Structures are given as structure tokens and as C-alpha cells.
Amino acid sequence: MTRRAVSPVFVGRETELETLKETLDQARKQTTAAVLVGGEAGVGKSRLANRFLEQAAQEGAHVLVGGCVELSSEGLAYAPFTAVVRQLVRETSASEVAALLPERAARELARLLPEFGEPSAEDKSESARARLFEIILTLLERLAERRPVVLLIEDIHWADRSSRDLIAFLSRNLRAAPVFMVMTYRSDELHRTHPLRPVLAELARVDGVVRVDLPRFTQTEVAAQMAGILGVDADFARVGEVFERSGGIPLFVEALLEHDNSSFPESLHDLIIGSVERLPEETQRVLRMAAAGGVRVGHALLAAVSGLSDDDLEDALRAAIASNVLQVTDDGAYVFRHALIREAVHDELLPGEHARMHARYAEEIEKDRTLVPHGRAAIEIAHHWYSARNDLWALISAWEAARKAARSFAYTEQIQLLERVLVLWDKVPDAAERIGVDHTTVLERASEAAYLSGDMEGSTKFVRGAMAELDEQTSPERVAELLVRSANIKHARGKPGSLNDLRHAESLVPHPGDMRTFVLARLGSELMLSNQVAEGTAVTQEAMRVARERGDEKQQADLLINLALGNSISGDLETTYQTNQRALALGKRLKSPRIVLRALANNVDALDNLGRSHDALALAAEGENLARQFGRYRHQGVFIANNRAEALDSLGRWDEAIEVIDRAMKMGPSMRNKWHMMRIRAGIAIARGEEDLAEKTLSEVGVFSSQPVEWTQEWIYNLSLRLSWHLLQGEPMKAVEATEAALTNPPLSQKAMLGWRLLALIRHVCDTASPLDPQRAAALLATSDTLVEGMFCYGPVSEAFRMVYRADFAGAAQVWKRLERPYGQSKALLLAAAADALAGERDEALARLREAHPLAVSLRAAPLAGQIENLARRVGGTLSDPVRQAASDEQTPLTPRELEVLRLVATGRSNREIAAELFISAKTVSVHVSNILPKLGVSSRGEAAAAAHRLSLLS
């Protein structure tokens, strides 16, 4: 009888394998992002995945494999993706991989592999990690242009935070290429606070992500597995016993078959370790050494740690390989057949042996860092010294590994390592001397890393800790830098207090220098956004003088963009555009993608506010293409897409705007970018009468919140949306109340789409509320008039809104028509028609309504279309053209005006009420009623109403 450790026959899993095949077919059609394969340890996840990969490769797919290792949870960042890039370099070359990427983008891959040269020297920022994510996305998309790509990432329960974030990013964004991700994880490892749980929950909400839960084997499947291992069918009784003891887990079936029938082990540990204990003692000793090195360990490293020659090491391991405890990889490394075997062997280490083994690994890797894959030495050393419980070297190595993590933009892993430094600090008396920095510096680095990773709560904790250790008198610059970070955190979270922190920081650094310039640049920007433009401009110009003196052109370009921001808030959009163009030219000369995209994005907004929305769209398309080329779409490209959505909104191309927003939201935008896109979406929802969607979105962005908002553009946007919501709900007095509360903090931004748009809306609120409370509406309008006195008009968009405010609705409609802004045009035509109706100009009103109605209908702006239809009925006309109306009149016994009167009669209105509604006299109403009754063959108003319903005259 031939006994094998593993069945050569692939048993069961037909359903799961078919699911993988089907989803790969869907991925080829660009409709599937990923499959998550979950199951208990030892249930066969890797066997299933490898079987699928074999079939996918046979069908022409490009198979890429990366795995997470247990070390990842201690700070080894991007392990699976580093393995994938390494595989691609082996298959082709670094230059061929680089050729797939945008210009200069491959330098970012140098943070993962040295084959790509030196990493870019660009300053780290919250966008740096986003660029790396985009480069990986672009690389996979370009590979998939040649043939479908299957990416296997194993053991994501061990994935580091950066890898988890990248997995989520790819799952959301791999929609336009045949790339199929398969990810495996241990479901029994996912305790309530496991960091993978929220990632799985997020992925479950992504369209196209499929989840496969791998069950244990049935007894029939266990019998088939046993037959494959034994070479013959096992007897029924033994199958039943193995099935019961193994619980249907394939790995345990294999372990049980290595025992005689009478010697089944009592515990899981004994079951797994049993195959090891039957090996020679020297083999067991070397296996314990290997287990301290992880699931996978290189030959040279294990030889160095064990002190054995190559021949002696191979002799010692030969039995382990023959019994399938260890396997040899293509590159000559040793890997335990299953992580559970490695864990069981590692657990056999005695306390002293455990410390010695891990210390040996740390010492040998420190001597020769090439013993481990590139980029892993620092974290391997830190792991082993920590496992060896050597506090001194654990602290030193964690500090070094944290610096290495920062260079790879692995900020979350950097935090973990810095936290280890902080925990060990008091255990090492001369810690500061050992790593060359004080305790406060560690807190400062941790606060920076947490901020860059998006962990604002953690960053706040570290900022507070660092500031508690500093004295403003003796360390003013360090405190100032922390205050700027505190301001940035509040800014990112949408919390008040940023400006106070920045003013405090500025007061601590009164003398010229780098830190004062740094603080002034940030303070000037915040002042601009808070509509304190004069002060913000002065502060920015001071920083600009220093930047010019130092010859720092990059900082000059950034400050120019800040000055342009002030011009924009002030409404001087031509100056805004020209200033951004100067910054753009500097950015191009300096070859700075960040500055180029920043200036370009802001000019998309300037053009839209100037009424040049088509030019704005063209510039946005150019900017988004550049963002993709530069590998910066997720951060700066999304901001440009946001501005493109605004221009599409202006032009009434609402469906296109929604598509842009939906795509950008999948890119994981910053909180403020996300909020702004949601505001655009909410505005469209209100205009279309999509009440549920509008209310949900407005609530999420804080429109109904009483919390103060510091940025002028945000509170103006929020107020405009709130007023529009109340008007949609038929609550004009609530709109008045909200406006009264908001206008206690003038002046308004003079920007066209901010201050002037709000004023036009306030005029509409006052006109709508006037019949209900004329005195209050008049008082609010008077308050608005005082604000308007200090406002200037820059460009046709501002002028159109000013015309609406001054009740020149017909003039505004003409401007909106020229600018191709159909919603504004239709609304202005409606208001002009209402004014005509009040003046008795019925024909003029109807002409305007007939022009307005198709615009509203084409936009699917149901509330506006309904208002137009209602006013048309009130003035006694029809929205059809006269020729069509004549044909209709031949079939209907009543005139359009008589139909409108009949409609109101049917609601029980009196002649006087009908007269007020239709802008006619009560006597004229009486004449209409007298004509209606004989035409319908009835003698009373009640009978007329009944006849109208019976004949469907009111539908």
C-alpha cells in the first residue's frame, strides 16, 4: 500500500471551484473585483486557491501570487504586494515593469524593491501613500491590457494595515480592467476586534466582491481524501473514526493517518506535532530553529542561525522534507507545509530556548541583511529582539524599523513600532542616548505618522502627549509645529478651532525663519478660507517675501496659489485665474506634479465661476489625465473631478455630474472632498425632488447641524442647501429662520457661486415667505440689502445672480441662456412669468412658461416643472403651442381657463378664492362658472365637480 502525506487527488470543492471560475469569467467582462475565500485553519483554502490558479494559468491568465506573513502584524508593510512586484521583475525586468507606469512613477516602487533605483525625494504627505496605491492600481491595469490577471493574496488575516487599505482600494477601483483578486483568510482567527473585520464589512458593500465560505469535508469527502493518501479505499469504520476525530478538516485527516489506529492523539497540538516527534532528534532541533524564523526561512539564514554547514543542514532537514513537514520553494527557501505546523513546533520551544533562538536570528540578520528579502531586515530584527525579550535592542531596532516604515509610506506600521518604543522607554534607562532623540520626539513622530495615515484621533492623542512635555518658553518652535498639526487635524475632521491653534502658533514664532514661514503659509490659507481675506493676504505676502529671499520657488508657487484662493473668495476671479496661471508655470518649470495639479484644479473652479463652464470642463479633462499620468489621481485627480462635477452641474448635465461623483467616491476621497461632492449630489437631488436621498445626504454632511462651520464656502453651501430643502418641503418660514440665524456673521464671500448665489436664494425665500409674514420677510430682505451694498459683481455669473436679487428675472434668464445654464434660466423665467401674471400680462407670462417648461422637464427637475405647470393653469393657459392647443380644444368642451376654474371649483373654493388664485376678478369667475354649467349639462357647482371627475377633465 502506498501512503502519501497529502492526497494527490483534488477532493470535493466543486461548488467553490465553479464559483471561482464563474467570477473569473465575469472579471474578464470587467464586472467582478474580488473573491474572498474564508475558512478555518487547515480546511484547504490554499489547496483550493492553487487548484484554481493552475486552471486559470492554463486558460491564459497571468497569475500573480503574494502572501501575508505573521510578521506583517508587527509592522512589515506591503508584504504581499512586494512579493507580486518581485515576481514581475523576475518574469521580465525592472525596466519592463517601469515601462508600464507613468513617467517617473516607477521611482515610488523603489520603496518596495531596490531594482527601481532611488525613491522620489518628494516630501511625505497624506497624498504620498495615495500615489503608491495608484501606481499599484495602474500597474495591474496595464498588465491586464495584455491578458487577464489573477492576483492571489493569501492569509489576509495577517495583513498589515497598509496592505489592508490597499486591498480595499483595489477592490473598489479595479472596475475597468480584467483583474481578478482572490484573497484567503482564516475565519476562526477573526475575533470581535480583529482589524480585518471592518475591511471585510467594507468589501461586502463593494459591487462585484464575492464571498466564499469553505466548509469542512463531509464524511464522503474524507473517505475520498483518505483513499488518495492511502492508495486504497479505507474501511468504513476507520473512515468514520477519522471523520469524527478530524471534524472534517483536511489537515487533521492527514495528521491522523500518520498514526496507527490505536494511537490517536488526545489534543489538537498533539495531533499536529505528532508527525514532527517521529523525526530524528537533530531534525526536530533544526525544525524548532526554523520555526523561530517564521513560516518561511531561507537556507543561508537557517544555516547561519544553526551553525551547521550546508551539508549538515540538508542532512538534518531531509527527513522533514520527506515527511512533508517542510517543503522547498523554487528559490531554495524552506516553508512549513502549513502555518499550524510551524505554530505547533514553535510552541515546543522552552523559554530560554525561545529567547536564544530569536536573539540568534536578530544577530545574524544584523550581520548580513541580505539573508532576508529586501526591505525586511529592519522589521525582522525588531521582531526577533522583541521576541527575545531584550528590551534594549528591541527599543533600538523598533526605532530603526519605524524610520524604514516611514520611507515606504507605511505610516500605520510606523505607529505600531513607535508605540513599542514608547512602551519600552522606561525599561531602558538611557533610551534617549541609545536612539539619539528624546521621548517627546518619539511622540512627535507618532503624531505625524498617525496624521498621515488618516488616524486623526490617534494623532490628537500623540500631539497632546508631546505638548504636555514641552514648554512654550523654551521650545516655542516645537510647540508651534504641534499646534499646526492640531489645526490640520481639526481641519481634516471638520471641527472648529483650527484658526485659534494657528494664531497661537504664529505668536510663538515672531521672528523671521523657516518655522515662522511654515506657520504663516498655513495661517494665511486658513484665514482665506474663513473669509478673512485681507489679513490672510497680508500673512501670505509676508511668507512670500521670505520665500523669495531664500530662493524657494516651490514654496513661492504654493503661496501664489494661496493668494489666488483669497482672490477667489473675494470674487475677483480674473485675478484668481491669472495668479493660478503663474503658479502653474512655476510648477511646470520645477517639474512638480503637485503644484501643477493644484493650480490647475483651482482654475477649473475659477472658470466655472466666470461662466466659462465649457472651458472648465476641458481644463478638468486635461488635469485628470495629468493626475493619472503622475500617479496622483486618488488625491489630486479626485479634487479636479469634484470641480468638474460642479461645472457639469452648472451646465445642467446632471446625470454626467452624478456619474463623476459616483466614480470619485469609490476612490476613497478625503473627508472634505467627499462632503463637497455630496453637497453637489444633494443639490441635484433637491432640484429633482428626490427627497429621501436629499435628506440622507444633507444629514451626513451636517447641513442640519447646529455646530459652527469656520470655512466660508462650507457654511454658505450648507445654508444654500438648507434653504432649498425647506422650500422643497413647503416650509418658507423655516427657511427665513435659518437665514436670520446665519446672517449674524457677515460679510459674505463675493464669489459668484457662493455669496451671490446665496443672496439670490434669500430673495426667493423672502418672496415665498412674504404672504405668510410680510414684516419678517421685509426685515430679512432689508438685512440682505445691507450686505449687498458692500458686494461687487465680477463676471456674468455674479451679474445674473444680482439680477435675480434685484427682481430683474427676465434679464437674469437672458444671461443664464447665454451661459447655457438651463436650471437657472428656467427658474428665472418662472419668476419673470409670475411677475407678469401679477401685472396682468397673461400672454407674456405664458410665453415665458412655455420656454421654461421644456428646460425643467429635460433636467427632470420635477418640482420646478410642477411650479411652471401650476402657474400656467393659474393664468388660464396651456404649455402646449397654439396649434396643438387648437386641436385639443376641438375635443374638449371647455376652454383652458374654464378648465382651471373647474379644477378649483372641484376643490370647494369660493369665487373670491378662485379669483385670487388665478389673478382675475370674482365677477370674471362667476361668468366662467355660468358658462361651465350648461356645457357640462349640470345645474350646480357640486354636480359640475362630479361631472368633471366622471369625464376625467381634471386629469
Side-chain angles (χ1 to χ4, degrees), residues 170-184:
L170 293 174
S171 298
R172 290 193 303 268
N173 292 285
L174 280 171
R175 322 302 292 169
V179 179
F180 179 43
M181 289 200 300
V182 180
M183 294 164 283
T184 69

Side-chain angles (χ1 to χ4, degrees), residues 526-540:
E526 194 72 20
L527 286 165
M528 306 285 196
L529 292 167
S530 301
N531 202 23
Q532 300 178 52
V533 176
E535 184 183 359
T537 300
V539 165
T540 304

Side-chain angles (χ1 to χ4, degrees), residues 711-727:
W711 281 19
T712 186
Q713 65 182 27
E714 293 196 353
W715 81 258
I716 289 178
Y717 268 124
N718 281 1
L719 179 58
S720 297
L721 287 169
R722 185 166 188 170
L723 300 187
S724 298
W725 169 257
H726 286 314
L727 292 175

Side-chain angles (χ1 to χ4, degrees), residues 68 72-73 78 80-81 133 156-170 194-199 202-203 412-413 416:
C68 304
S72 296
S73 60
Y78 304 117
F81 297 98
F133 282 20
I156 62 171
H157 53 277
W158 283 331
D160 57 283
R161 166 69 185 275
S162 295
S163 291
R164 292 196 302 269
D165 290 348
L166 181 48
I167 286 168
F169 171 75
L170 293 174
H194 196 287
L196 184 61
R197 291 182 74 94
V199 178
E202 179 185 351
L203 294 178
T412 306
E413 291 66 37
Q416 289 178 255

Side-chain angles (χ1 to χ4, degrees), residues 7 206 214 359 612 664:
S7 172
V206 175
L214 205 58
R612 296 168 56 187

Side-chain angles (χ1 to χ4, degrees), residues 78 262 269 320 334 469 479 541 565 740:
Y78 304 117
S262 59
H269 175 83
Y334 302 112
E469 296 181 3
V479 175
Q541 287 173 338
L565 173 63
E740 290 170 339

Side-chain angles (χ1 to χ4, degrees), residues 14 224 396 638 671 684 773 902:
E14 291 87 359
I396 294 170
V638 166
M671 184 178 293
I684 295 172
D773 192 336
L902 178 58

